[in-house]
Amino acid sequence: MNIAITAHDSKKELMVQFCIAYCGILSHHNLCGTGTTSKLVAEATGLELTRFLSGSQGGDQQIAARVACNEVDLLLFFRDPLTMNPSETDNAQLLRLCDVHNIPVATNIATAEALIHALERGDLDWRNIVNPKR
């Protein structure tokens, strides 16, 4: 599967810790993400990620474009709901595209853990049934 990751500044360390914990599962998939988040995750885990621009410089839009082109199967986006984010419009657009294209999204660690365990069990393979061209 193609998994995209991104995180607001206050959630980047949580994303790193999540990726460390689930490195064994994530290592079997294609990973991409926004600039700083990808860099931190790669340094901490040794995972290979396709690295885009930072979110504020268009990285969220790069992920959104991949979603629109059916090149993302799962999005892990750790958001900080208590802090106003200047790229909130881009974030909303990314989440809307995931809804349009039926992409599973985790915006917090609880949902991310549920999705990563479903991924490990093979429960997210439904996309191959719905869209066999993938």
Side-chain angles (χ1 to χ4, degrees):
M1 288 192 108
N2 297 316
I3 301 172
I5 64 167
T6 186
H8 286 157
D9 288 345
S10 63
K11 301 291 183 173
K12 288 188 189 316
E13 182 57 30
L14 182 62
M15 178 64 79
V16 168
Q17 295 303 317
F18 176 84
C19 291
I20 289 170
Y22 294 104
C23 185
I25 298 168
L26 293 170
S27 67
H28 298 290
H29 301 279
N30 300 315
L31 305 175
C32 66
T34 52
T36 307
T37 304
S38 293
K39 179 181 181 228
L40 294 170
V41 167
E43 288 173 352
T45 64
L47 291 169
E48 289 187 32
L49 293 95
T50 300
R51 191 170 160 197
F52 299 128
L53 298 171
S54 67
S56 62
Q57 294 179 341
D60 293 333
Q61 293 173 337
Q62 287 178 295
I63 291 175
R66 290 190 75 165
V67 168
C69 293
N70 288 318
E71 295 173 1
V72 171
D73 301 306
L74 174 67
L75 174 64
L76 302 176
F77 179 11
F78 288 1
R79 302 175 67 214
D80 182 352
L82 302 177
T83 303
M84 187 63 171
N85 191 301
S87 59
E88 201 59 43
T89 304
D90 293 337
N91 298 165
Q93 179 70 5
L94 174 57
L95 295 173
R96 185 188 74 77
L97 280 171
C98 287
D99 286 342
V100 167
H101 294 277
N102 291 314
I103 305 300
V105 177
T107 59
N108 59 59
I109 195 161
T111 307
E113 287 185 330
L115 286 177
I116 205 81
H117 289 296
L119 180 63
E120 183 180 32
R121 289 189 309 267
D123 293 347
L124 295 182
D125 287 342
W126 64 272
R127 290 187 53 101
N128 291 328
I129 296 167
V130 174
N131 188 1
K133 294 178 186 174
R134 294 191 64 118

